Amino acid sequence: MDKSDLPQIVLDVGFKRIEFSLMYRACTNPECDRSGVTIRLVNDVRDISFFIDFETGTYEDGDYSEEVREIIESFIVFMNSCENESYNLDFFKRYYKEAKKDGQIREDTISSYKPGMMMFYHGIFVNADIFEVKSGDKVYLLRDQYCVNPGCDCSDIGLDFFEKIPVQSIQDSDFSITYNYADGRFTVAKCADRNRLNAMVGSFGSEMNEMFKERHERIKKEVAPLISDKFKQRRGLINMLKSSVGRNDPCPCGSGKKYKKCCLNKE
């Protein structure tokens, strides 16, 4: 990441004022009870990481040089300063709470996934950008989901369209489609206005299709090690069923394809 995209802070270290780029992260594992955040301070000559413990309100001691220790302690003073309304202890506690919430959403997405299903992108990348498309005087938000089967190279994704309204509330999708970002073809799962839907899909263009492709590749790579056991279990079941499945029968993997065009020749 370019340092210009990061927040910049200035610390009073002894008689010097030193500028740093500020980075921070929290453990998103819902089962981890380590309460705090890891802080990273970076400039052209220093790269310093340390852990802020919320229970003590200070940093966790480590094998730091006197110079680094002085910088860390200057950050603690900065963090607790009344004049600092941005990156104070309350800010990092709020960030930690949101990170844990995001981690729980991610864990729930993984645990509820079954082979053959698509996986919602925001179930893994909770804070990712949401796509918007316009149709006349209306704006629709897209909820995108992807095939994450490591043995599948399809370009099909699921898209749910929700009309963007001033007051956000739980609502059903207005349209739902299966869309192929490689060739632009789609099939309708749910549609209230076919003409409007045709116009919106036709407006996607190559840039949006490329973003769908990038998201597809990213989510497959991210979840592959987390769902591998689920596919091993399914493969074992399929192998048991193979002897009783005819070539033209539906494939037992649940893809909807005929057995001869799906798992027949796969090991």
Side-chain angles (χ1 to χ4, degrees), residues 234-247 249 251-253 259 262-267:
R234 188 181 73 159
R235 179 57 58 194
L237 176 62
I238 291 173
N239 288 336
M240 286 192 298
L241 294 173
K242 274 186 175 181
S243 60
S244 61
V245 178
R247 290 173 53 84
D249 290 339
C251 186
C253 77
Y259 178 47
C262 192
C263 291
L264 175 61
N265 298 315
K266 295 181 182 178
E267 296 182 357

Short mmCIF file of all heavy atoms in Angstrom, two decimals, residues 234-247 249 251-253 259 262-267:
data_model
loop_
_atom_site.label_atom_id
_atom_site.label_comp_id
_atom_site.label_asym_id
_atom_site.label_seq_id
_atom_site.Cartn_x
_atom_site.Cartn_y
_atom_site.Cartn_z
N ARG A 234 -17.02 -34.60 0.41
CA ARG A 234 -17.96 -34.78 -0.69
C ARG A 234 -17.39 -35.74 -1.73
O ARG A 234 -18.11 -36.57 -2.28
CB ARG A 234 -18.29 -33.44 -1.35
CG ARG A 234 -19.41 -33.58 -2.39
CD ARG A 234 -19.74 -32.27 -3.05
NE ARG A 234 -18.72 -31.86 -4.00
CZ ARG A 234 -18.93 -30.99 -4.99
NH1 ARG A 234 -20.12 -30.46 -5.14
NH2 ARG A 234 -17.96 -30.64 -5.80
N ARG A 235 -16.08 -35.62 -2.00
CA ARG A 235 -15.46 -36.51 -2.98
C ARG A 235 -15.57 -37.95 -2.52
O ARG A 235 -15.82 -38.86 -3.32
CB ARG A 235 -13.99 -36.10 -3.16
CG ARG A 235 -13.21 -36.97 -4.15
CD ARG A 235 -13.82 -37.01 -5.51
NE ARG A 235 -13.94 -35.67 -6.07
CZ ARG A 235 -14.68 -35.37 -7.13
NH1 ARG A 235 -15.40 -36.32 -7.71
NH2 ARG A 235 -14.75 -34.15 -7.58
N GLY A 236 -15.41 -38.21 -1.23
CA GLY A 236 -15.55 -39.57 -0.71
C GLY A 236 -16.95 -40.10 -0.92
O GLY A 236 -17.14 -41.26 -1.30
N LEU A 237 -17.95 -39.23 -0.71
CA LEU A 237 -19.34 -39.65 -0.91
C LEU A 237 -19.61 -39.94 -2.38
O LEU A 237 -20.27 -40.92 -2.73
CB LEU A 237 -20.28 -38.55 -0.40
CG LEU A 237 -21.79 -38.79 -0.62
CD1 LEU A 237 -22.23 -40.04 0.12
CD2 LEU A 237 -22.58 -37.57 -0.14
N ILE A 238 -19.09 -39.09 -3.26
CA ILE A 238 -19.29 -39.28 -4.69
C ILE A 238 -18.68 -40.60 -5.14
O ILE A 238 -19.26 -41.35 -5.94
CB ILE A 238 -18.69 -38.10 -5.49
CG1 ILE A 238 -19.50 -36.83 -5.25
CG2 ILE A 238 -18.64 -38.42 -6.98
CD1 ILE A 238 -18.88 -35.59 -5.85
N ASN A 239 -17.49 -40.92 -4.65
CA ASN A 239 -16.83 -42.16 -5.03
C ASN A 239 -17.66 -43.37 -4.62
O ASN A 239 -17.71 -44.39 -5.33
CB ASN A 239 -15.44 -42.23 -4.41
CG ASN A 239 -14.47 -41.27 -5.06
OD1 ASN A 239 -14.66 -40.88 -6.21
ND2 ASN A 239 -13.43 -40.88 -4.34
N MET A 240 -18.34 -43.27 -3.47
CA MET A 240 -19.19 -44.38 -3.03
C MET A 240 -20.42 -44.53 -3.93
O MET A 240 -20.92 -45.62 -4.15
CB MET A 240 -19.64 -44.15 -1.58
CG MET A 240 -18.53 -44.37 -0.56
SD MET A 240 -19.15 -44.42 1.14
CE MET A 240 -19.84 -42.79 1.32
N LEU A 241 -20.91 -43.39 -4.44
CA LEU A 241 -22.13 -43.41 -5.25
C LEU A 241 -21.87 -43.72 -6.72
O LEU A 241 -22.81 -44.06 -7.44
CB LEU A 241 -22.85 -42.06 -5.14
CG LEU A 241 -23.40 -41.69 -3.76
CD1 LEU A 241 -23.92 -40.26 -3.79
CD2 LEU A 241 -24.52 -42.65 -3.36
N LYS A 242 -20.63 -43.61 -7.17
CA LYS A 242 -20.34 -43.74 -8.59
C LYS A 242 -20.84 -45.04 -9.19
O LYS A 242 -21.35 -45.07 -10.32
CB LYS A 242 -18.83 -43.61 -8.83
CG LYS A 242 -18.35 -42.18 -8.98
CD LYS A 242 -16.88 -42.15 -9.36
CE LYS A 242 -16.43 -40.72 -9.62
NZ LYS A 242 -15.01 -40.66 -10.02
N SER A 243 -20.69 -46.11 -8.44
CA SER A 243 -21.05 -47.41 -8.99
C SER A 243 -22.53 -47.54 -9.30
O SER A 243 -22.93 -48.37 -10.12
CB SER A 243 -20.63 -48.52 -8.00
OG SER A 243 -21.29 -48.34 -6.76
N SER A 244 -23.35 -46.71 -8.66
CA SER A 244 -24.80 -46.81 -8.86
C SER A 244 -25.37 -45.68 -9.71
O SER A 244 -26.58 -45.59 -9.89
CB SER A 244 -25.51 -46.82 -7.50
OG SER A 244 -25.25 -45.62 -6.79
N VAL A 245 -24.50 -44.82 -10.25
CA VAL A 245 -24.96 -43.68 -11.05
C VAL A 245 -24.73 -43.96 -12.53
O VAL A 245 -23.63 -44.32 -12.94
CB VAL A 245 -24.22 -42.39 -10.64
CG1 VAL A 245 -24.67 -41.22 -11.51
CG2 VAL A 245 -24.47 -42.08 -9.18
N GLY A 246 -25.77 -43.77 -13.33
CA GLY A 246 -25.65 -43.95 -14.77
C GLY A 246 -25.03 -42.74 -15.44
O GLY A 246 -25.05 -41.63 -14.89
N ARG A 247 -24.49 -42.92 -16.64
CA ARG A 247 -23.82 -41.83 -17.35
C ARG A 247 -24.72 -40.62 -17.55
O ARG A 247 -24.26 -39.48 -17.51
CB ARG A 247 -23.31 -42.33 -18.71
CG ARG A 247 -22.15 -43.29 -18.64
CD ARG A 247 -21.84 -43.87 -20.02
NE ARG A 247 -21.65 -42.84 -21.02
CZ ARG A 247 -20.50 -42.19 -21.22
NH1 ARG A 247 -19.45 -42.48 -20.49
NH2 ARG A 247 -20.41 -41.27 -22.17
N ASP A 249 -27.40 -39.87 -15.70
CA ASP A 249 -28.06 -39.44 -14.47
C ASP A 249 -27.48 -38.13 -13.97
O ASP A 249 -26.35 -37.76 -14.33
CB ASP A 249 -27.89 -40.51 -13.37
CG ASP A 249 -28.67 -41.77 -13.67
OD1 ASP A 249 -29.63 -41.69 -14.46
OD2 ASP A 249 -28.32 -42.83 -13.10
N CYS A 251 -25.42 -35.69 -11.84
CA CYS A 251 -24.18 -35.96 -11.10
C CYS A 251 -24.45 -35.85 -9.61
O CYS A 251 -25.08 -34.89 -9.14
CB CYS A 251 -23.10 -34.97 -11.52
SG CYS A 251 -21.49 -35.34 -10.77
N PRO A 252 -23.95 -36.78 -8.81
CA PRO A 252 -24.17 -36.74 -7.36
C PRO A 252 -23.47 -35.59 -6.65
O PRO A 252 -23.70 -35.35 -5.47
CB PRO A 252 -23.62 -38.09 -6.88
CG PRO A 252 -22.66 -38.53 -7.92
CD PRO A 252 -23.23 -38.01 -9.22
N CYS A 253 -22.62 -34.84 -7.37
CA CYS A 253 -21.95 -33.70 -6.73
C CYS A 253 -22.89 -32.53 -6.53
O CYS A 253 -22.59 -31.59 -5.79
CB CYS A 253 -20.74 -33.25 -7.54
SG CYS A 253 -21.14 -32.29 -9.03
N TYR A 259 -23.91 -36.77 -15.16
CA TYR A 259 -22.72 -37.39 -14.57
C TYR A 259 -21.59 -37.49 -15.58
O TYR A 259 -20.42 -37.23 -15.27
CB TYR A 259 -23.11 -38.77 -14.05
CG TYR A 259 -21.99 -39.57 -13.45
CD1 TYR A 259 -21.10 -39.01 -12.53
CD2 TYR A 259 -21.81 -40.92 -13.78
CE1 TYR A 259 -20.08 -39.75 -11.96
CE2 TYR A 259 -20.80 -41.67 -13.22
CZ TYR A 259 -19.93 -41.08 -12.31
OH TYR A 259 -18.92 -41.82 -11.76
N CYS A 262 -19.66 -34.27 -15.97
CA CYS A 262 -19.17 -33.63 -14.76
C CYS A 262 -18.08 -34.45 -14.09
O CYS A 262 -16.90 -34.30 -14.42
CB CYS A 262 -20.35 -33.40 -13.80
SG CYS A 262 -19.97 -32.31 -12.42
N CYS A 263 -18.45 -35.36 -13.19
CA CYS A 263 -17.45 -36.04 -12.36
C CYS A 263 -17.06 -37.43 -12.85
O CYS A 263 -16.24 -38.09 -12.21
CB CYS A 263 -17.96 -36.15 -10.91
SG CYS A 263 -18.07 -34.55 -10.07
N LEU A 264 -17.62 -37.89 -13.96
CA LEU A 264 -17.35 -39.25 -14.42
C LEU A 264 -15.85 -39.50 -14.60
O LEU A 264 -15.32 -40.51 -14.18
CB LEU A 264 -18.09 -39.53 -15.73
CG LEU A 264 -17.78 -40.89 -16.39
CD1 LEU A 264 -18.18 -42.03 -15.47
CD2 LEU A 264 -18.51 -41.01 -17.74
N ASN A 265 -15.18 -38.55 -15.25
CA ASN A 265 -13.76 -38.76 -15.58
C ASN A 265 -12.81 -38.05 -14.63
O ASN A 265 -11.62 -37.93 -14.91
CB ASN A 265 -13.48 -38.28 -17.01
CG ASN A 265 -14.28 -39.08 -18.02
OD1 ASN A 265 -14.34 -40.29 -17.95
ND2 ASN A 265 -14.89 -38.38 -18.99
N LYS A 266 -13.36 -37.57 -13.51
CA LYS A 266 -12.51 -36.91 -12.51
C LYS A 266 -12.11 -37.91 -11.45
O LYS A 266 -12.88 -38.75 -11.05
CB LYS A 266 -13.26 -35.73 -11.86
CG LYS A 266 -13.58 -34.61 -12.82
CD LYS A 266 -14.30 -33.50 -12.10
CE LYS A 266 -14.67 -32.37 -13.05
NZ LYS A 266 -15.41 -31.28 -12.36
N GLU A 267 -10.89 -37.77 -10.99
CA GLU A 267 -10.42 -38.66 -9.93
C GLU A 267 -10.96 -38.19 -8.60
O GLU A 267 -11.15 -37.02 -8.38
CB GLU A 267 -8.89 -38.67 -9.90
CG GLU A 267 -8.30 -39.25 -11.17
CD GLU A 267 -6.78 -39.31 -11.13
OE1 GLU A 267 -6.23 -38.83 -10.13
OE2 GLU A 267 -6.19 -39.81 -12.08
#
